[in-house]
Amino acid sequence: MFSFIKKYFFNKYLAENKPDRNVSIVSLSRARSIGILCEITDEDSYKEIFYIFSKLQEHGHQVRLIGYVNDKEVPFYCLPQLTADYFSQKHLNWYGIPNMEQIHDFLKEDYDLLIDFSYRPNMPMQAILALSHAKFIVGRDPESQNSYDLFIDAVNSNYLKYLEAVSTYSEKLTGNDR
């Protein structure tokens, strides 16, 4: 009963606050600004996502990372930076919406491409996806398919293989494939 009430208010909030988006297909190679959403499950997942984050920055993209840790506190190895922030359960309001200034700033941005690296459903990521102003949203969580402009069925692949799939399919959709 209690979870039903939380879910009701969660969905109601998202429906009332859903932004108007100008959806346009943007390939990974042509995206100037990229938002990354991920769930940090352990130190290895942090290292892998941070590697991708760093490589995208090296290639000239403006990248912003938001990572969710499904725990009471953000672990010590998740080092916040100017364009990388992490949040935990303590940063959620009563019905599961992230309530942190860095996330509000993330949601205000009009990213060319927003990539959701989550592979399992969780309410905070679904909230960020639903409230984003990004032009093109790509993801792989089957439960969040309605929030994506492009769903890639790559639940069992690692982050690098998933990013390769994002690059391949976004290039094909824009007609820039080789």
Side-chain angles (χ1 to χ4, degrees):
M1 176 74 170
F2 185 66
S3 64
F4 174 77
I5 294 170
K6 280 178 92 168
K7 187 80 167 170
Y8 170 79
F9 282 108
F10 176 82
N11 290 329
K12 183 178 179 188
Y13 178 85
L14 295 182
E16 290 173 354
N17 293 288
K18 191 162 185 76
D20 289 329
R21 294 177 44 230
N22 293 325
V23 178
S24 62
I25 300 172
V26 180
S27 67
L28 181 62
S29 62
R30 298 198 185 224
R32 283 176 273 136
S33 59
I34 299 172
I36 295 177
L37 289 178
C38 64
E39 182 179 2
I40 304 297
T41 54
D42 55 19
E43 194 168 358
D44 289 337
S45 69
Y46 167 78
K47 287 177 182 177
E48 193 174 357
I49 201 71
F50 196 78
Y51 174 78
I52 289 170
F53 170 75
S54 301
K55 286 298 178 189
L56 288 171
Q57 284 183 324
E58 286 175 14
H59 285 98
H61 301 285
Q62 291 178 323
V63 185
R64 181 82 192 268
L65 168 70
I66 294 290
Y68 174 62
V69 179
N70 193 8
D71 206 351
K72 292 182 182 183
E73 295 287 329
V74 175
F76 68 92
Y77 52 79
C78 291
L79 302 172
Q81 297 184 1
L82 188 59
T83 58
D85 291 296
Y86 307 91
F87 68 102
S88 63
Q89 293 172 355
K90 78 175 189 177
H91 299 104
L92 305 178
N93 67 12
W94 181 78
Y95 40 91
I97 305 288
N99 191 15
M100 195 170 123
E101 193 60 38
Q102 292 87 338
I103 294 172
H104 295 296
D105 293 342
F106 183 86
L107 290 172
K108 288 177 189 173
E109 290 291 323
D110 189 15
Y111 298 103
D112 292 332
L113 180 63
L114 176 62
I115 305 172
D116 179 18
F117 281 87
S118 304
Y119 56 88
R120 60 183 180 184
N122 64 59
M123 291 175 66
M125 289 294 139
Q126 290 172 339
I128 293 171
L129 288 168
L131 299 173
S132 174
H133 289 87
K135 292 178 185 146
F136 193 55
I137 300 174
V138 180
R140 64 179 179 171
D141 171 24
E143 296 285 320
S144 299
Q145 280 188 50
N146 294 337
S147 298
Y148 302 138
D149 300 314
L150 174 61
F151 170 72
I152 298 175
D153 189 9
V155 174
N156 296 325
S157 63
N158 67 27
Y159 291 150
L160 282 173
K161 287 183 181 177
Y162 170 62
L163 188 63
E164 287 174 16
V166 168
S167 179
T168 301
Y169 289 114
S170 65
E171 291 290 331
K172 287 182 183 204
L173 286 173
T174 59
N176 296 325
D177 59 326
R178 296 156 223 209

